[in-house]
Amino acid sequence: MELSGKVALVTGGAQGIGKAVGLMLAKNGSEVVISDVNFEMARSTAEEIEKIGRRALAIEANVARFEDGEKMVRETVEALGRIDILINNAGITRDGLMLRMSEEDWDLVLDVNLKGAFNCTKAAIRHMVRQRSGKIVNIASVVGLMGNAGQANYAASKAGLIGFTKTVAREFASRGITVNAVAPGYIDTPMTQGLPENVKEELKKLIPLDRLGTPEDVAKAVFFLVTSASDYVTGQVLQVDGGLYM
């Protein structure tokens, strides 16, 4: 299988896009570590992966804390021997119009969505440098490219993540490490399922493919970026948005 012998760490992997990515990688041969702030959900997802026949590990961690980033990578290597793939997926929203947005909500979203990727990447990439190989995929968002009213903090964090992706890709290309981003559009996840039906219908009108995306749509793009099929691809942003922004 394409990912046989590989070890992947997926942050925010207990549900939604992260869970779909973890299952996709496992089905294609990878051992998978699921990191999440919700340990019970992370353990449940890890158990699903084990039923596929892959080794899996659940870790409770908050990516916004640097020590947690180091802990999850250390426990991954101790349990599974290496780390080949890092998926920086953990993310939150605290939406509100700019004039009403609190400093706390700004800081919290930037700490999880952007600083979290820095924390986990810095911890993981040391091992990848020694291996002279590795695949890092950052889950950004189309709003990091186009903006979105009421999401100044979220859009800024995802735009920052895109810049981070391109810079780390340049710094580590000579070590055989590729770093790319996937920018989902409106995806049917727990984060969007709370939207009223009429809002979802209005969103669909903006999407040329006339539907919200699924976590599996995103997982397929991530899968491409962590396989040998993408060995000559780095520093790129792959939009998975049904044509929303083009």
Side-chain angles (χ1 to χ4, degrees):
M1 300 178 73
E2 175 69 32
L3 299 179
S4 180
K6 303 294 186 182
V7 174
L9 168 60
V10 183
T11 71
Q15 61 180 329
I17 290 172
K19 180 177 180 178
V21 169
L23 290 170
M24 174 73 73
L25 301 186
K27 288 173 183 175
N28 286 277
S30 180
E31 320 294 350
V32 181
V33 177
I34 299 295
S35 162
D36 206 280
V37 292
N38 188 323
F39 179 69
E40 291 306 315
M41 290 183 67
R43 184 166 61 181
S44 175
T45 298
E47 288 171 354
E48 286 188 50
I49 290 169
E50 288 175 339
K51 289 176 183 176
I52 296 172
R54 306 292 166 221
R55 289 188 296 169
L57 176 68
I59 298 176
E60 181 178 0
N62 179 354
V63 298
R65 295 197 290 254
F66 184 75
E67 59 271 23
D68 280 22
E70 294 204 311
K71 166 193 162 185
M72 70 178 77
V73 172
R74 182 176 64 252
E75 291 185 4
T76 295
V77 174
E78 287 175 352
L80 300 176
R82 56 190 295 121
I83 179 168
D84 303 284
I85 297 164
L86 171 64
I87 312 298
N88 283 311
N89 169 73
I92 61 170
T93 58
R94 291 294 185 273
D95 296 348
L97 294 174
M98 180 66 189
L99 289 176
R100 298 175 186 170
M101 184 175 290
S102 68
E103 182 181 4
E104 180 184 12
D105 283 346
W106 172 272
D107 288 345
L108 184 59
V109 170
L110 270 290
D111 280 349
V112 173
N113 297 5
L114 184 54
K115 185 183 176 186
F118 165 80
N119 291 340
C120 298
T121 300
K122 186 164 185 179
I125 211 159
R126 295 191 189 105
H127 296 274
M128 294 178 177
V129 166
R130 286 196 289 270
Q131 295 167 185
R132 298 195 70 83
S133 67
K135 301 273 191 175
I136 298 174
V137 179
N138 298 317
I139 306 300
S141 170
V142 70
V143 305
L145 298 167
M146 62 184 280
N148 194 36
Q151 290 193 308
N153 49 4
Y154 186 74
S157 72
K158 296 302 188 178
L161 190 56
I162 290 169
F164 175 75
T165 297
K166 292 178 177 290
T167 298
V168 179
R170 286 185 179 275
E171 289 186 7
F172 292 94
S174 64
R175 306 300 181 93
I177 300 166
T178 66
V179 188
N180 292 286
V182 171
Y186 291 106
I187 307 297
D188 190 12
T189 67
M191 193 179 287
T192 59
Q193 283 166 1
L195 295 172
E197 285 303 316
N198 64 313
V199 173
K200 290 184 181 180
E201 288 303 314
E202 289 302 311
L203 288 174
K204 282 174 61 178
K205 293 177 183 178
L206 302 174
I207 302 170
L209 287 181
D210 195 35
R211 68 173 177 87
L212 299 186
T214 67
E216 289 70 29
D217 289 325
V218 182
K220 291 172 186 175
V222 172
F223 175 61
F224 163 69
L225 290 172
V226 301
T227 66
S228 59
S230 66
D231 281 350
Y232 201 57
V233 179
T234 196
Q236 302 305 304
V237 182
L238 177 54
Q239 292 172 230
V240 184
D241 63 3
L244 175 64
Y245 181 67
M246 55 177 159

